Amino acid sequence: MTPAGRSDGRSSRWTEHRRARRVEFVAAAVESVRRTGPELAVEDVARTAGVSKTVLYRYFADKDELVDAVLERVSTEILLPRLLGELAADRPGDVDRLRAVVAAFVAIIEDEPALYRFAYAQAGRAGRADLVAQTEREVAEALAWVMGERLVDHGLDPAPTATWAYGVVGMVQLAAHWWSTARTVPAAELVDQLTALAWGGLSTLLPPAPTD
């Protein structure tokens, strides 16, 4: 092998090593947030990972970069798989599909309270990528596409579903965020209320169900 080839091989192994170490450190940060709460502390992440802060900062330029990496993990491995998975699942009717997605979002608040508070505490950070908003857009676009297909099946214009889908995502997110601290009703009742509100809008777009 030529010196250049050996150099390329070492560079590739070093790149993979850095990638693997970053994955480990992000996982440690996720566990740190789960254990200590939404205020991510670099010192606790380092302890969880079993390294010093100096080592941690060899892989992340600053705390903001670490926060962004944790947000991306929360979005791609927790929020989106659960929400889009429920949306893609085969359901007997549109109301059932809608209820499943709403229930999945409320369940995330119940199952991962610290990660949920961490993610939404970072929303709208000045000068940083807003991965929370990106996640909301992906869910809204998927919801619009699924329901748009239903309208197309009935020979109707699917355009209105975009407004409905973004409205539903915003409504569910804001109402559920308020509920996460207020807890005025049980989770199941919250899901029923939000589903009824969302379906009230969508049902005006769909043709009436056939009567016997």
Side-chain angles (χ1 to χ4, degrees):
M1 182 182 293
T2 65
R6 288 196 296 271
S7 177
D8 289 344
R10 286 195 297 270
S11 175
S12 177
R13 287 193 297 274
W14 173 242
T15 298
E16 177 57 27
H17 169 76
R18 284 187 60 83
R19 188 201 66 78
R21 289 293 275 168
R22 278 178 62 97
V23 169
E24 292 176 14
F25 293 149
V26 172
V30 169
E31 290 309 311
S32 173
V33 171
R34 280 177 169 146
R35 187 179 64 254
T36 65
E39 297 297 328
L40 184 145
V42 177
E43 295 85 353
D44 191 70
V45 175
R47 281 194 298 270
T48 302
V51 299
S52 67
K53 285 176 60 177
T54 301
V55 170
L56 203 60
Y57 281 128
R58 291 175 188 166
Y59 296 86
F60 301 92
D62 52 28
K63 181 178 178 179
D64 279 341
E65 186 177 338
L66 177 60
V67 167
D68 282 347
V70 175
L71 284 172
E72 184 172 6
R73 175 74 65 89
V74 171
S75 174
T76 59
E77 296 189 13
I78 297 175
L79 291 176
L80 285 176
R82 293 178 69 168
L83 297 176
L84 298 183
E86 291 294 346
L87 190 56
D90 188 25
R91 305 283 179 189
D94 295 324
V95 178
D96 300 289
R97 180 180 288 110
L98 181 60
R99 183 186 304 276
V101 177
V102 174
F105 186 77
V106 173
I108 289 170
I109 298 176
E110 296 274 84
D111 299 341
E112 298 281 8
L115 288 180
Y116 170 82
R117 292 196 303 272
F118 167 79
Y120 281 90
Q122 309 301 324
R125 288 186 302 153
R128 309 296 296 188
D130 192 339
L131 291 173
V132 172
Q134 179 180 325
T135 301
E136 291 169 349
R137 283 194 296 272
E138 289 193 43
V139 174
E141 291 292 337
L143 192 58
W145 184 84
V146 169
M147 294 309 181
E149 289 290 292
R150 293 282 290 110
L151 291 182
V152 170
D153 289 343
H154 289 285
L156 301 172
D157 180 9
T161 56
T163 301
W164 173 83
Y166 275 91
V168 166
V169 170
M171 176 194 70
V172 171
Q173 189 276 318
L174 184 58
H177 187 69
W178 161 78
W179 173 86
S180 69
T181 55
R183 300 288 176 153
T184 53
V185 296
E189 189 173 338
L190 175 71
V191 171
D192 287 343
Q193 291 173 353
L194 292 176
T195 301
L197 284 169
W199 179 248
L202 181 63
S203 62
T204 64
L205 305 178
L206 293 168
T211 58
D212 294 332

